[in-house]
Amino acid sequence: MIVYLHGFNSAYNPDSDKIVALSKLDKVYPLSYNSFDTYDNILDDIITKTKHLENLVFVGTSLGGFYAAACASALGVPCVLINPVSRGSFVQNNGIFIKDVPMTNYVTGQVNAVTQTMIDSYINLDIKELHYECKPLLLLDMEDELIDSQNTLDHLKSIVSSSSVYYEGGSHRFDHIDLALRNIEYYLNNFFAVSHWD
């Protein structure tokens, strides 16, 4: 079962290109999380909703990649990180997390704002420091306009799978999901020793 974790200020959307593509590999569990909550609350919420699932793999994009890594570490399952946020300092230094500015979720239409409590909850967090049952698969578009891809690669290269892939061009939304499916399959086969392809 694939648990896809969306990015900041988003929600589960069955029509998204990533979920449509990932559905070719396995069922995708419909999960949304409140990205304006604190780190501990978000992590607990995701783990509580998913720990009962079998053959579980977390796939996350951007902030969802951060949580995919944290959940995979906590549950001892594989994870795929797509253009991930890798350090809590990205949140603390504001990045896209601008405090007290109302933001509309483009999937749900709900309006929220980042609080200082949310920002403070990420102090000293770094997915590089977590323990993994198997090394994460890292997928990067090297022309990510929001997060420095080379910085992410340099920071995480010692902890990620050798089958990780870095694509020239692309964007923060990740433009190569269809090409990456075979890499994801190969990675999961090594962990589960079973193919999810038809």
Side-chain angles (χ1 to χ4, degrees):
M1 174 71 72
I2 295 172
V3 175
Y4 176 74
L5 299 179
H6 56 77
F8 174 70
N9 196 28
S10 187
Y12 179 85
N13 177 2
D15 298 323
S16 84
D17 56 346
K18 295 177 201 67
I19 292 175
V20 170
L22 291 167
S23 296
K24 297 174 184 176
L25 291 177
D26 203 348
K27 291 180 181 176
V28 178
Y29 186 76
L31 186 144
S32 291
Y33 65 94
N34 176 12
S35 58
F36 292 85
D37 207 342
T38 61
Y39 170 79
D40 286 339
N41 286 346
I42 293 171
L43 186 63
D44 288 346
D45 178 52
I46 297 170
I47 289 176
T48 298
K49 289 176 179 175
T50 60
K51 63 184 177 182
H52 66 284
L53 300 173
E54 296 183 359
N55 292 336
L56 174 61
V57 56
F58 287 96
V59 179
T61 303
S62 191
L63 185 63
F66 191 91
Y67 283 104
C71 291
S73 175
L75 296 176
V77 299
C79 60
V80 179
L81 315 180
I82 303 173
N83 289 344
V85 170
S86 61
R87 288 176 272 201
S89 58
F90 182 78
V91 177
Q92 295 154 2
N93 296 335
N94 282 339
I96 58 172
F97 304 93
I98 303 170
K99 192 175 70 168
D100 298 327
V101 174
M103 288 179 257
T104 302
N105 186 306
Y106 65 87
V107 177
T108 68
Q110 186 175 359
V111 178
N112 285 295
V114 170
T115 64
Q116 189 62 48
T117 302
M118 176 262 197
I119 293 172
D120 290 345
S121 74
Y122 287 84
I123 290 175
N124 298 326
L125 297 179
D126 188 336
I127 64 175
K128 183 179 180 180
E129 305 305 320
L130 299 173
H131 169 76
Y132 299 97
E133 191 78 15
C134 69
K135 290 185 172 187
L137 176 67
L138 178 63
L139 301 174
L140 294 176
D141 268 357
M142 297 308 291
E143 293 298 323
D144 186 330
E145 72 282 4
L146 189 59
I147 300 173
D148 186 324
S149 300
Q150 189 61 53
N151 217 8
T152 301
L153 176 56
D154 292 342
H155 183 61
L156 297 180
K157 63 184 175 184
S158 65
I159 65 141
V160 298
S161 166
S162 59
S163 54
S164 296
V165 187
Y166 321 117
Y167 296 96
E168 293 301 320
S171 69
H172 186 64
R173 291 185 57 79
F174 192 67
D175 300 339
H176 296 93
I177 188 63
D178 289 319
L179 286 176
L181 284 182
R182 292 286 177 184
N183 301 90
I184 297 171
E185 181 199 29
Y186 176 78
Y187 170 74
L188 295 181
N189 283 348
N190 283 339
F191 189 86
F192 293 117
V194 62
S195 175
H196 296 297
W197 286 87
D198 294 334

